[in-house]
């Protein structure tokens, strides 16, 4: 089955630790995205990548970092600089450039204790 | 700047009743509009999208939406709601320059509760 996988589904970390969230897709999509979801705020774009080895900041990139070494993978690192990291994180992908439908993974809920 | 407004935070309808969820957008160029649905703790599923052409678009699960440029609206409708439709619904508008990956601006969502 083609789709987007995110792991783990639940993640707990202590304050001050970096943590990396996984996102993998087998849809052969060029573009990948990371969103953060908080109650009552909808989804906000953290980073996106149009192609391997290229990525751009979204609206709320501070405290996050990404890499895109492979077409199918777009991991997100939540660093200790992120002031309020507890949230639901969603990864998405789309075929490529221009307006296109984004398809979403199941999400990872990160709780920082 | 682009924005999407979903004025209803929470809506409750009875099973079998009709449903309309409101969405208003602000975008200078031709809008590309989407409706997604999210069950608790899950990812988002695309219900329907409008890129061009017929302003009444059909989606999955019996949903439809109508694009009204004069009102900057893209309201979602369903003639008869089922209990399984209880979820959160998000309207979004695509933004981005030609030749670049598009980005979505989301509304804050409307939570639908269905009573039996």
């Amino acid at each position: 089955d083609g789709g987007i996988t995110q792991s783990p589904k639940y993640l707990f970390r202590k304050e001050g630790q970096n943590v990396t969230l996984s996102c993998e897709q087998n849809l052969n999509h060029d573009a990948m995205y990371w969103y953060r979801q908080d109650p009552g705020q909808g989804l906000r774009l953290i980073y996106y990548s149009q192609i391997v080895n290229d990525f751009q900041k979204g609206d709320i990139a501070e405290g996050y970092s990404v890499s895109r070494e492979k077409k199918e993978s777009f991991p997100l690192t939540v660093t200790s600089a992120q002031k309020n990291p507890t949230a639901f994180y969603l990864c998405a992908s789309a075929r490529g450039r221009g307006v296109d439908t984004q398809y979403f993974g199941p999400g990872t809920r990160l709780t920082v204790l | 700047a682009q924005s999407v407004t979903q004025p209803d935070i929470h809506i409750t309808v009875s099973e079998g009743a009709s449903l309309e969820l409101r969405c208003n957008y602000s975008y200078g160029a031709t809008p590309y509009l989407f409706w997604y649905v999210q069950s608790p703790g899950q990812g988002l599923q695309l219900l329907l999208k409008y890129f061009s052409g017929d302003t009444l678009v059909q989606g999955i699960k019996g949903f439809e939406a109508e694009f009204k440029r004069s009102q900057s609206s893209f309201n979602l409708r369903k003639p008869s709601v089922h209990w399984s439709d209880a979820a959160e619904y998000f309207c979004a508008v695509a933004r981005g320059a030609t030749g670049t990956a598009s980005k979505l601006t989301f509304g804050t969502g409307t939570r639908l509760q269905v009573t039996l």
Side-chain angles (χ1 to χ4, degrees):
Chain A
D1 275 345
I4 302 172
T5 57
Q6 293 186 243
S7 60
K9 187 165 180 63
Y10 299 96
L11 192 53
F12 297 89
R13 278 294 182 269
K14 292 184 179 179
E15 195 171 338
Q17 290 182 333
N18 291 357
V19 60
T20 297
L21 281 60
S22 168
C23 177
E24 304 275 333
Q25 54 97 1
N26 61 6
L27 300 168
N28 199 31
H29 285 173
D30 284 320
M32 296 187 74
Y33 306 79
W34 274 106
Y35 292 90
R36 171 184 171 133
Q37 185 177 21
D38 297 282
Q41 294 197 44
L43 279 73
R44 294 179 290 168
L45 182 64
I46 304 172
Y47 267 98
Y48 66 103
S49 167
Q50 299 181 91
I51 200 166
V52 174
N53 293 323
D54 179 64
F55 48 84
Q56 286 81 40
K57 293 181 179 180
D59 302 315
I60 56 165
E62 185 174 351
Y64 300 97
S65 66
V66 293
S67 63
R68 187 85 187 276
E69 296 176 2
K70 299 186 296 182
K71 185 175 185 177
E72 57 270 21
S73 178
F74 191 41
L76 173 74
T77 296
V78 184
T79 75
S80 56
Q82 168 50 232
K83 291 185 172 58
N84 186 17
T86 295
F88 191 52
Y89 291 87
L90 287 156
C91 178
S93 71
R95 280 184 299 182
R97 301 181 180 218
V99 179
D100 198 3
T101 301
Q102 291 184 23
Y103 297 90
F104 285 80
T108 292
R109 183 165 299 280
L110 172 65
T111 303
V112 176
L113 306 171
Chain B
Q2 302 83 5
S3 66
V4 176
T5 301
Q6 294 180 248
D8 303 306
I9 297 172
H10 187 208
I11 284 182
T12 300
V13 299
S14 300
E15 189 174 39
S18 64
L19 171 71
E20 183 169 28
L21 302 183
R22 295 183 290 165
C23 172
N24 292 95
Y25 66 89
S26 171
Y27 189 56
T30 300
Y32 298 90
L33 297 157
F34 302 80
W35 274 101
Y36 285 90
V37 61
Q38 183 182 36
S39 297
Q42 302 298 317
L44 275 66
Q45 180 182 23
L46 178 71
L47 283 175
L48 47 79
K49 63 187 178 186
Y50 171 77
F51 281 11
S52 65
D54 193 346
T55 56
L56 183 64
V57 294
Q58 303 297 321
I60 62 171
K61 305 185 181 188
F63 285 92
E64 67 178 26
E66 187 170 13
F67 170 60
K68 293 185 178 180
R69 185 185 296 275
S70 62
Q71 298 177 20
S72 298
S73 70
F74 189 55
N75 294 349
L76 183 70
R77 301 194 294 246
K78 187 170 185 178
S80 177
V81 169
H82 188 263
W83 65 266
S84 60
D85 293 325
E88 188 147 24
Y89 292 80
F90 291 95
C91 181
V93 62
R95 54 191 164 110
T98 302
T100 65
S102 64
K103 295 165 282 188
L104 294 178
T105 297
F106 284 86
T108 52
T110 297
R111 181 166 298 279
L112 173 65
Q113 183 176 357
V114 180
T115 58
L116 300 176

